């Protein structure tokens, strides 16, 4: 299954056991749980940036 690389944003590969995400482009490799935490942090940072970049943001 494909996943978005947490480092280079290209297509990474989630193994069949759903235990490891590996990127053939940049060499990123992480356990699936660690990958999910990294992606949650990225989404949170994007939300914060969007809120503060909007006129009238907090």
């Amino acid at each position: 299954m494909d996943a978005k690389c947490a480092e280079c944003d290209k297509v990474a590969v989630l193994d069949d056991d759903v235990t490891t995400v590996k990127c053939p482009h940049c060499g990123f490799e992480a356990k699936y749980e660690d990958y999910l935490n990294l992606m949650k942090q990225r989404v949170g940072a994007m939300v914060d940036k969007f809120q503060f970049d909007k006129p009238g943001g907090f």
Side-chain angles (χ1 to χ4, degrees):
M1 180 186 302
D2 291 341
K4 184 174 188 172
C5 179
E7 299 255 332
C8 71
D9 291 331
K10 293 183 180 179
V11 177
V13 179
L14 175 61
D15 67 3
D16 292 336
D17 297 335
V18 190
T19 57
T20 307
V21 176
K22 296 180 183 178
C23 179
H25 306 284
C26 71
F28 171 81
E29 183 174 339
K31 292 180 182 177
Y32 185 63
E33 300 248 348
D34 296 337
Y35 169 78
L36 288 178
N37 288 330
L38 286 170
M39 296 308 278
K40 285 179 192 176
Q41 291 172 2
R42 286 184 62 183
V43 168
M46 288 178 1
V47 168
D48 288 343
K49 182 177 176 1
F50 178 75
Q51 281 182 334
F52 293 114
D53 285 349
K54 286 179 57 177
F58 302 102

